[in-house]
Amino acid sequence: MNQQKYNFRAVKPAEIEALSMAMIEKELPHPIDETLAPIIKRVIHTTADFDYADNLVFSENVVEHALKTLRGGCHIVTDTNMAKAGINKTTLLKYGGQVSCFMAEEDVAAEAKARGVTRASVSMEKAAKIREPLIFAIGNAPTALIRLYELIQEQQIQPKLIIGVPVGFVNVVEAKELIMTAGVPFIVARGRKGGSNVAAAIVNALLYYPGD
């Protein structure tokens, strides 16, 4: 059997993330806006995909709006329990915030089945009843973005931020483009790429944002 030798760096656990970020900074395909850099680099760190240096699209002054909302206490709604699990609850709680995912709740599943719609759509309707400042972190379901757009147009909801990064093929690209016309602050991963891990990474990048 051939045995290939690898030369591994001796890196202390506490230094791994800082080293990773330094490598990302060095390998970026082009300079990025310093205000957006903590978010873009956090997503690249999560995915090892440098396409996000170009795929992530930000509405005007979205970081300022997002930080104000997060640090004032808000309710984050995700479309997967995976995204919910990936968000740093300790830091969120420090700001008086909380995170919910309604996808697995029995009433949501029953209503979705009865109406012949997705649970993601019904979850967004349930979230619209929350009276706290809302941030949506959508990493899986394009129908969640479509229903959010409709609810905004119906003036039933006015999110402080929509993170629209579902991954996939059917209606994914179109739903992302639609949400960028909704008239609310957004961070969107254009194209087919994204995922629950990306949604959580963006929330965490905002929670960890320097200058608190």
Side-chain angles (χ1 to χ4, degrees):
M1 176 183 285
N2 292 330
Q3 291 186 347
Q4 187 174 359
K5 292 183 178 180
Y6 296 93
N7 294 318
F8 294 103
R9 303 187 190 195
V11 182
K12 295 179 181 179
E15 298 172 349
I16 292 174
E17 181 172 312
L19 180 57
S20 296
M21 289 298 185
M23 293 172 69
I24 291 168
E25 181 72 31
K26 183 178 179 181
E27 296 179 31
L28 282 169
H30 53 72
I32 55 178
D33 185 295
E34 64 179 16
T35 302
L36 309 178
I39 301 163
I40 295 170
K41 289 194 289 185
R42 177 67 55 183
V43 172
I44 294 172
H45 179 262
T46 298
T47 62
D49 188 343
F50 283 87
D51 283 353
Y52 286 103
D54 297 302
N55 292 353
L56 288 174
V57 184
F58 300 81
S59 61
E60 187 175 1
N61 299 322
V62 67
V63 173
E64 178 185 347
H65 293 310
L67 294 179
K68 182 178 179 180
T69 300
L70 280 168
R71 293 173 181 179
C74 68
H75 200 133
I76 300 172
V77 176
T78 70
D79 66 328
T80 65
N81 279 306
M82 179 181 173
K84 178 185 175 182
I87 292 170
N88 188 314
K89 316 297 189 305
T90 302
T91 305
L92 181 61
L93 184 61
K94 182 179 75 172
Y95 295 124
Q98 62 178 307
V99 57
S100 298
C101 177
F102 303 125
M103 291 288 286
E105 296 191 0
E106 291 183 7
D107 60 332
V108 169
E111 185 169 350
K113 183 177 181 180
R115 291 166 50 191
V117 298
T118 67
R119 287 182 294 164
S121 297
V122 177
S123 291
M124 298 303 103
E125 295 169 2
K126 185 167 184 172
K129 299 174 183 177
I130 297 171
R131 291 296 164 243
E132 301 165 86
L134 282 169
I135 288 177
F136 288 90
I138 308 301
N140 185 69
T143 53
L145 293 184
I146 294 168
R147 189 64 185 123
L148 276 177
Y149 176 85
E150 293 170 345
L151 291 167
I152 292 166
Q153 302 312 304
E154 295 163 4
Q155 298 185 342
Q156 295 189 46
I157 193 171
Q158 189 67 22
K160 297 296 184 180
L161 169 66
I162 295 176
I163 297 168
V165 294
V167 60
F169 297 92
V170 178
N171 293 328
V172 167
V173 174
E174 297 84 353
K176 292 174 181 179
E177 295 295 323
L178 181 67
I179 212 65
M180 289 192 287
T181 71
V184 300
F186 65 79
I187 300 174
V188 163
R190 251 184 172 146
R192 292 173 170 175
K193 293 184 178 182
S196 296
N197 59 332
V198 175
I202 292 171
V203 173
N204 287 335
L206 292 166
L207 288 172
Y208 306 152
Y209 200 88
D212 184 21

